[in-house]
Amino acid sequence: MDNKRKICVIIPVHKAAPQPDELIALNACKKHLSSHNCYLIFPQGMDTSAYTAAFEGLLLKPVDPGWLASVEQYNKMKLNLEFYRLFAAYNYMVTYELDAYIFSQDLENAGAFDFDFIGAPFFEGYWEAKPGAKLVHGCNSGFSVRNINSCIRALSGMKKFRFRWLLYRLFLSHSSRLRLKLNGLTKGRLEVFITGRFGFYFADFHLNEDVVWTEVIPKLFPWFKVADPITALNFSFEYNLEDSLKLNKGRLPLGCHAWYKHLEFWSRYIDTRSIT
């Protein structure tokens, strides 16, 4: 690995008492990622002693409590330019939510630094994907790596789309028929503008931040490189786990997300005795 590459790991939490499965996740992070600066992101004023007791050396980064007040506010935090500027001294950010798990420290060979964003790939149907569903472009954020400079560059460039947002609000937001017609005429090329999906930046508009980063941002900024689904499978799994394992040629990924929701699969590979 390039010794000049600076990596930070962020572990966002919003409550003082971690659950047993979250401690399993935290211990895996400590085992495999403690050679990097690992930051606990928490609401200012919250007691963090349960986390620091489990992970000696964990760095504390309190943030505005409003940033972590709800799932929606957390998503907005991850789309906030000021959040990325907190970590501008680093090249890459590993997001490690405490429903993630990591099996190895080998970020390099998992393709973590080959893209501006990599995480578990999406399947058609997203969180309701059925076995046999096709892989689609886009990646999950819960266990992911992103290029911090690229994120800052993209968010800094959003202001140039404000005029298109205003046009959308004026002419298209109230006419689904017109939106569908224009999407058809442009063969979906301008979909992000026609539907106003980039509106998260200008109004009280919500999309999951990983959908924004891996589906919306690349349409606004074609230079922003998101991992292809097959490469992303080598990095992380989230849903359709048996299919994911087959598509990854029987190999486990570097890590995974939402493992506690799928214990029937992950208990083969993760020691869950403390919670089962």
Side-chain angles (χ1 to χ4, degrees):
M1 182 184 292
D2 184 348
N3 291 327
K4 294 181 179 179
R5 183 178 287 140
K6 293 183 179 180
I7 302 161
C8 64
V9 180
I10 68 154
I11 306 167
V13 299
H14 65 277
K15 60 184 188 299
Q19 296 298 309
D21 57 295
E22 293 174 324
L23 288 174
I24 290 174
L26 189 61
N27 284 330
C29 181
K30 176 183 176 181
K31 180 178 180 181
H32 297 299
L33 294 175
S34 59
S35 61
H36 308 295
N37 286 345
C38 296
Y39 290 91
L40 190 74
I41 309 298
F42 64 97
Q44 189 167 16
M46 190 189 86
D47 178 12
T48 60
S49 58
Y51 298 95
T52 54
F55 189 163
E56 184 180 352
L58 191 61
L59 301 172
L60 301 180
K61 181 69 77 171
V63 298
D64 182 334
W67 285 12
L68 294 165
S70 67
V71 172
E72 180 159 330
Q73 289 305 114
Y74 170 67
N75 275 277
K76 289 185 180 295
M77 180 186 80
K78 299 291 287 297
L79 296 165
N80 187 329
L81 179 59
E82 295 309 311
F83 175 74
Y84 292 92
R85 284 178 171 162
L86 293 175
F87 301 97
Y90 298 92
N91 304 122
Y92 292 91
M93 174 188 290
V94 179
T95 294
Y96 190 91
E97 295 176 358
L98 288 185
D99 57 350
Y101 193 90
I102 187 168
F103 297 100
S104 162
Q105 62 183 354
D106 198 356
L107 292 161
E108 185 85 27
N109 284 332
F113 311 116
D114 297 337
F115 307 93
D116 293 312
F117 194 111
I118 189 171
F122 293 149
F123 284 84
E124 200 171 61
Y126 295 91
W127 300 274
E128 297 180 357
K130 305 296 183 185
K134 295 179 180 178
L135 286 164
V136 296
H137 191 71
C139 297
N140 174 265
S141 168
F143 174 58
S144 59
V145 176
R146 63 195 79 194
N147 182 309
I148 294 173
N149 183 62
S150 293
C151 291
I152 291 174
R153 181 183 169 194
L155 292 175
S156 298
M158 280 301 300
K159 60 189 175 205
K160 71 181 181 180
F161 296 108
R162 183 171 178 80
F163 181 66
R164 297 192 194 192
W165 167 243
L166 291 172
L167 286 177
Y168 165 79
R169 290 288 297 271
L170 184 62
F171 296 111
L172 297 178
S173 63
H174 304 296
S175 176
S176 58
R177 181 177 296 180
L178 183 55
R179 290 200 305 270
L180 287 170
K181 185 172 183 179
L182 286 174
N183 250 344
L185 290 172
T186 63
K187 297 182 179 179
R189 186 171 59 88
L190 301 178
E191 183 270 343
V192 70
F193 300 115
I194 290 170
T195 64
R197 293 179 73 204
F198 60 101
F200 70 91
Y201 195 81
F202 304 110
D204 188 15
F205 183 88
H206 175 69
L207 281 177
N208 286 339
E209 56 103 6
D210 46 18
V211 172
V212 175
W213 280 115
T214 64
E215 296 186 14
V216 176
I217 291 291
K219 291 181 180 179
L220 301 177
F221 304 100
W223 52 263
F224 192 89
K225 189 178 180 185
V226 176
D228 62 276
I230 294 299
T231 302
L233 277 174
N234 191 48
F235 179 83
S236 181
F237 295 175
E238 184 175 18
Y239 293 100
N240 275 8
L241 299 173
E242 297 291 355
D243 287 1
S244 295
L245 191 63
K246 290 176 184 177
L247 289 166
N248 204 40
K249 299 180 181 178
R251 301 187 303 262
L252 285 178
L254 175 72
C256 60
H257 182 242
W259 62 272
Y260 185 62
K261 294 180 180 179
H262 306 283
L263 288 179
E264 72 285 354
F265 180 89
W266 286 117
S267 59
R268 305 179 213 165
Y269 310 106
I270 297 172
D271 185 353
T272 62
R273 285 175 293 180
S274 63
I275 57 174
T276 57

